[in-house]
Amino acid sequence: MKTIGLLGGMSWESSADYYRLINETIKAELGGLHSAKCILFSVDFQEIERYQFSNQWDKSAELLAEACLSLEKVGADYIVICTNTMHKVAEVIQQKISIPILHIAKVTATELKHHKIKKVGLLGTKFTMEEHFYKQVIEDNEIDVIIPEQSDRERISKIIYEELCLGKTTDISKQFYLEVINQLSQRGAEGVILGCTEIGMLIAQSDTTVPLFDTTKIHAVQAALTSLEK
C-alpha cells in the first residue's frame, strides 16, 4: 500500500471528511482491520485565506510547497491537496516536489466522463468558479462548464467562507444553493460539480434530482484506490 500525503486544513472540517472517506474506502476494498497509510500536514487556513483575498498566490504557493516537501521527506508517495481552490497553485507546487499530485479537477473530469456528462454546472469559491485553472481541466475533457450569475457567485462564495468553513450550516443557505442548482439545470447542466470541499456539508444528492458530483468524495475515494495500485 502506498502512503498518501494529505495537505489539509483548508478547511479542517473537509479534511476530516477526507480522512474518513479514505479509510472507509480502504476498509471496503481490503476488509478486516485495514486502514489507509497516510500522513497529514494541516496548514493554518487563516493565513491561506489572507493570501487568497490579497492576491498573493505566490506566497500561498510557497507555503504549500514547503508543506508538500515535508510530506515527501517523511515518506508520502503522492500528494492530495484537500481543497479545490488551492489547485490554482498546483502546477507551482508540482515543480518543487518530485512526487505526483493527484489533481482534484482531473479525477472529477474522469468521473463526469464515466457518467457521460457533456455539460456541467460548477459551484465553489469565486476563484474556482470564475478563473480558468479549474474549469479548463474540465473543458479539456470536452465537457462544457457553466457557472451561476455574478450576484449568486458572490453569495455562494460568501457562504463558503463565512459559514461552511466555520462548520456552520443553515436552512436558508441550503435553499439558496438548491435554487442555484435548479437554475443551472434549467440552463442545460446535466449535473453540478460541488467544487468546494465544504459544500457536501450543506447539500446531498437526496436534496435534489439534479446529479451532483461531490469533489470531496470523488477525490478521497480515488486517493484511497491509488494507494492500492501496484
Side-chain angles (χ1 to χ4, degrees):
M1 186 187 302
K2 297 185 180 103
T3 300
I4 309 167
L6 297 170
L7 180 57
M10 301 169 284
S11 66
W12 69 261
E13 284 87 355
S14 62
S15 299
D17 285 336
Y18 267 87
Y19 186 74
R20 174 180 56 82
L21 288 162
I22 287 170
N23 281 289
E24 286 177 353
T25 303
I26 294 296
K27 181 179 179 181
E29 291 292 316
L30 300 182
L33 296 176
H34 285 289
S35 56
K37 293 174 63 178
C38 58
I39 308 164
L40 171 65
F41 192 117
S42 188
V43 301
D44 180 1
F45 190 34
Q46 183 72 51
E47 187 174 7
I48 298 297
E49 187 265 357
R50 185 172 67 250
Y51 289 147
Q52 289 177 345
F53 283 91
S54 61
N55 200 32
Q56 294 180 291
W57 295 95
D58 56 334
K59 289 188 176 181
S60 62
E62 182 178 352
L63 189 154
L64 297 183
E66 290 178 358
C68 289
L69 276 171
S70 296
L71 289 168
E72 181 177 355
K73 288 177 181 177
V74 294
D77 292 302
Y78 56 98
I79 298 294
V80 175
I81 304 173
C82 303
T83 167
N84 287 272
T85 300
M86 294 316 297
H87 278 73
K88 178 178 169 71
V89 297
E91 290 184 7
V92 177
I93 296 171
Q94 186 65 83
Q95 292 171 3
K96 297 179 181 295
I97 60 177
S98 59
I99 57 176
I101 294 172
L102 186 67
H103 199 291
I104 194 168
K106 291 181 180 179
V107 298
T108 299
T110 299
E111 185 71 9
L112 292 169
K113 290 172 69 177
H114 175 74
H115 288 272
K116 296 180 170 54
I117 300 294
K118 294 295 184 181
K119 188 172 186 178
V120 71
L122 174 63
L123 303 180
T125 66
K126 66 177 186 178
F127 307 109
T128 299
M129 289 186 288
E130 296 176 359
E131 299 185 29
H132 292 295
F133 69 92
Y134 194 96
K135 292 187 291 185
Q136 191 63 55
V137 175
I138 306 298
E139 291 170 348
D140 285 346
N141 285 271
E142 300 181 343
I143 301 169
D144 292 333
V145 178
I146 59 174
I147 59 176
E149 301 297 330
Q150 183 175 1
S151 60
D152 289 339
R153 296 198 301 268
E154 293 292 336
R155 186 175 173 188
I156 289 165
S157 196
K158 183 176 182 180
I159 288 169
I160 290 169
Y161 283 101
E162 296 184 8
E163 296 178 22
L164 301 182
C165 287
L166 297 174
K168 299 177 183 178
T169 58
T170 68
D171 290 338
I172 292 174
S173 294
K174 181 175 183 175
Q175 186 57 42
F176 167 66
Y177 267 63
L178 289 173
E179 289 172 0
V180 172
I181 287 169
N182 286 334
Q183 290 169 8
L184 291 169
S185 177
Q186 290 169 8
R187 290 168 54 195
E190 300 166 328
V192 173
I193 300 170
L194 304 185
C196 169
T197 53
E198 284 79 28
I199 297 178
M201 297 166 53
L202 187 66
I203 300 295
Q205 185 61 74
S206 58
D207 296 319
T208 178
T209 58
V210 179
L212 301 180
F213 295 88
D214 186 341
T215 54
T216 303
K217 184 175 181 180
I218 293 168
H219 201 204
V221 169
Q222 188 56 52
L225 295 177
T226 300
S227 76
L228 300 178
E229 293 176 356
K230 295 182 179 179

